[in-house]
Amino acid sequence: MSHFKYKKITAVISAALVFALCAEPIQVSAEEDVMPTAGIASMLEARLSTEEYIEAAQQAQGASWGYTNIGIADVESGNLNVRESPSISGKLVGKMPKNSACEVLDMTEDGWAHITSGEVEGYVSLDYLLTGPDAKMKANELVCTVAVANVDGLNVRDQASTDSAVLTQVLKGEELEYIETLDGWIKVSIDGEDAYVSADYVTVKETLDTAVTMTELLYGAGVSDVRVELVEYAKQFLGNPYVWGGTSLTKGADCSGFVLSVFKKFGVKLPHHSGSQAKMGMKIKASELQPGDLVFYANSSGTINHVALYIGGGRVIHASTPKTGIKISKYNYRTPVKCVSILQD
């Protein structure tokens, strides 16, 4: 079946769902199965009961999260490659982590979807992308709530009080993991640490993960070969789990364990503690950062408690929290307190 035919089928299914939800209530049995149809959405193949199917569709119905035609990366682990052209030989322009969302602009006859996701536009294989009702119902399970900073230099505090110490500051547009709303304050999590921001300066909204751009590191462009190789190696593990105390790049690592294991691959031994890693190498200014350097962050008392690996283009890769795993952020997504060059090149 061509993907255009598939698209028509999913459109018919969506229309049927709307009709089912708007029509008079129907009597169904919990044991009555929806008959599977060969080649259509996997949710039909799962043989949900009519009652379960309508309930799931109703939960997703009307929810768009800013998307007109949503797609969800459906990979077992790792990331879905986003390419410049609809071909496996196309230049890699981004990666969609597992369960991240995109806007599907079009589909080709030979199995590719033209998508946009975050700052990335390109093509992904339809073999690894949920679309139509499947994508909407999956998104309904994945959507998370974030607090988005409306101002630059937003103070993130230890407690819900202006008298409390400032843990860090974040940039306008930065998304913080939402925990709960209090009286005039929003409780959030930043790199796994509970904190508070004023409700006056954030917008709480539902969102889905999106693709990340691939920083281009070219040989001969002022970046040494070893730095290019180290960063490209680190980016392979984007989306993998965060595990406190872990050092496995595939099964789980914490922030310093991730950095430790990446550098170990290149024969550099580092301690498994962000504060200790900050004492290694040579201190540099943020303006001097090169791919492969380390960026450190601290708590309100100035004690270093988080480390990230600079990958170029103003971005870092780091093991952030159990919820987000290994992710890419702006290097100043929170206020850096120290930058260090470990590599001797």
Side-chain angles (χ1 to χ4, degrees):
M1 178 185 296
S2 78
H3 290 286
F4 284 113
K5 290 181 181 178
Y6 176 87
K7 196 173 181 182
K8 289 179 181 178
I9 289 172
T10 55
V12 171
I13 294 171
S14 297
L17 290 179
V18 174
F19 177 80
L21 294 172
C22 296
E24 292 292 326
I26 56 176
Q27 299 299 317
V28 295
S29 166
E31 290 74 36
E32 184 180 352
D33 287 342
V34 174
M35 293 298 291
T37 304
I40 67 171
S42 60
M43 66 176 177
L44 294 183
E45 296 171 351
R47 297 180 62 85
L48 293 174
S49 71
T50 304
E51 189 175 67
E52 292 170 332
Y53 181 79
I54 292 176
E55 181 183 357
Q58 191 168 20
Q59 289 176 351
Q61 189 67 30
S64 62
W65 309 284
Y67 295 90
T68 301
N69 187 15
I70 194 170
I72 300 291
D74 185 31
V75 290
E76 289 187 11
S77 61
N79 307 277
L80 174 57
N81 290 330
V82 185
R83 299 189 180 276
E84 189 175 55
S85 58
S87 166
I88 58 172
S89 60
K91 178 183 176 183
L92 197 62
V93 294
K95 287 180 179 286
M96 288 184 66
K98 179 181 179 180
N99 292 331
S100 60
C102 67
E103 179 73 24
V104 180
L105 304 176
D106 199 4
M107 298 182 187
T108 70
E109 287 281 7
D110 54 351
W112 291 84
H114 183 199
I115 63 100
T116 60
S117 180
E119 300 175 10
V120 178
E121 178 177 353
Y123 293 84
V124 298
S125 171
L126 279 166
D127 291 337
Y128 304 101
L129 189 73
L130 295 178
T131 58
D134 269 352
K136 257 203 169 180
M137 284 197 279
K138 185 65 174 179
N140 203 54
E141 299 172 10
L142 298 170
V143 67
C144 61
T145 306
V146 296
V148 184
N150 293 331
V151 294
D152 273 328
L154 174 65
N155 289 328
V156 182
R157 298 182 181 274
D158 281 340
Q159 300 296 329
S161 168
T162 54
D163 295 329
S164 176
V166 174
L167 168 65
T168 191
Q169 293 184 317
V170 299
L171 299 172
K172 183 177 182 179
E174 193 65 39
E175 295 181 355
L176 301 173
E177 186 179 326
Y178 171 88
I179 298 178
E180 63 177 327
T181 299
L182 305 171
D183 184 18
W185 293 86
I186 305 295
K187 186 177 182 180
V188 298
S189 176
I190 184 163
D191 292 329
E193 187 171 349
D194 289 349
Y196 301 83
V197 293
S198 171
D200 293 335
Y201 302 110
V202 296
T203 299
V204 176
K205 69 173 187 177
E206 289 187 330
T207 189
L208 292 156
D209 288 341
T210 56
V212 293
T213 59
M214 299 302 294
T215 304
E216 292 300 320
L217 298 173
L218 305 177
Y219 293 90
V223 180
S224 67
D225 291 359
V226 68
R227 288 180 181 271
V228 173
E229 291 166 6
L230 185 143
V231 167
E232 290 303 310
Y233 177 72
K235 288 193 293 185
Q236 294 179 54
F237 307 105
L238 181 67
N240 284 355
Y242 174 100
V243 174
W244 173 257
T247 59
S248 172
L249 295 171
T250 53
K251 297 180 179 179
D254 59 17
C255 65
S256 58
F258 171 68
V259 167
L260 176 157
S261 296
V262 169
F263 276 84
K264 182 179 179 181
K265 171 74 173 179
F266 293 83
V268 179
K269 186 175 181 180
L270 295 176
H272 190 181
H273 180 259
S274 58
S276 299
Q277 289 177 355
K279 298 175 183 177
M280 307 289 286
M282 178 179 67
K283 183 178 179 180
I284 59 174
K285 298 177 182 178
S287 59
E288 299 172 324
L289 279 168
Q290 291 189 71
D293 291 336
L294 300 182
V295 183
F296 295 90
Y297 310 87
N299 59 23
S300 57
S301 65
T303 301
I304 288 173
N305 63 354
H306 193 68
V307 59
L309 175 66
Y310 188 72
I311 61 173
R315 296 179 181 269
V316 292
I317 186 168
H318 58 131
S320 181
T321 69
K323 187 171 183 177
T324 62
I326 297 171
K327 61 183 286 188
I328 288 177
S329 305
K330 295 176 182 176
Y331 88 96
N332 55 350
Y333 74 98
R334 56 184 287 197
T335 310
V337 295
K338 190 175 184 180
C339 302
V340 166
S341 179
I342 299 293
L343 298 172
Q344 301 300 314
D345 58 348

